Amino acid sequence: MLAVSNKLTGLNRRYEALKKQLESHYPQYYRAKYDLSVINLEDAQQNLLKPHQALLEYFVGDSSIFIFAVRPDTFRVVEVKKDFPLKNWVADMRAGLSELDTQGAAKYARAAHHIYEKIFQPIQEFLAGHNLIIVPDGELGYVPFDALLSATPDNLGDFRTFPYLLQKHQISISYSATLLREMRQKQHERLPSKNFLGIAPYFPGIKTDSNGVAGRQTHINTLPRLFKNKEEVEKIQAS
């Protein structure tokens, strides 16, 4: 037993020595793996959030969803009883967005408004006039918050008239407030020489069925190939 104890002591010392070596030679890796410190409320309000910006963080539990809303001047916590089929609503919203017909639009609109009523409406007045940094959790990680609907659309055939949440708030997504702070504080190894980023995606064109699904035997619609996009970006870069 004494021999085992001595061996464990030696291994622990070697482990601590390895951690110190990592901290000295590979500080970024060391912080990512061993630094368990998290940003506190005061730090988030004073150093993370800009004027007219709010942090909206969710925690999805078994029986409740907790909404943590933080503004530079104050904060609020709201509990919402999880007595509704959130997982099903999220699936319906995502499925409806991919279906190019009236039935799909109705499925999307119904689910997007239900989700809005449960997870955003209870805190909407507190967040009025603020740009949002949203930290989702659980099933909410699959929700395109920009596309949530504050009301049921009158005309399901005209997506331009839908009351999207994006019309009220500028929205960005983060995995956590602590990670957002680290991203903002990160120093680039090499500063960019130009203030231009051009992206020219390659798209050869596909054939789809009536639901917009590629690869089916019956091809009804064709999404044509993209032309000139690479040439356009190269010309902008050269100018």
Side-chain angles (χ1 to χ4, degrees), residues 31 35-44 47-49 55 133 174-187:
R31 286 195 299 271
D35 188 359
L36 301 180
S37 61
V38 296
I39 188 171
N40 58 40
L41 176 62
E42 183 179 359
D43 192 7
N47 302 315
L48 185 65
L49 297 176
L55 178 69
I133 303 172
S174 181
Y175 290 106
S176 73
T178 301
L179 180 59
L180 180 61
R181 178 186 61 181
E182 293 180 2
M183 291 173 61
R184 289 184 175 178
Q185 293 176 347
K186 186 176 181 179
Q187 299 295 320

Side-chain angles (χ1 to χ4, degrees), residues 2 9 25 37-38 42 49-50 108 117 139-140 166 191 211 216-217:
L2 182 60
T9 301
H25 297 286
S37 61
V38 296
E42 183 179 359
L49 297 176
K50 301 176 182 178
Y108 151 63
E117 287 182 312
E139 293 93 342
L140 296 181
L166 184 61
L191 294 177
N211 292 322
R216 298 278 180 87
Q217 294 296 323

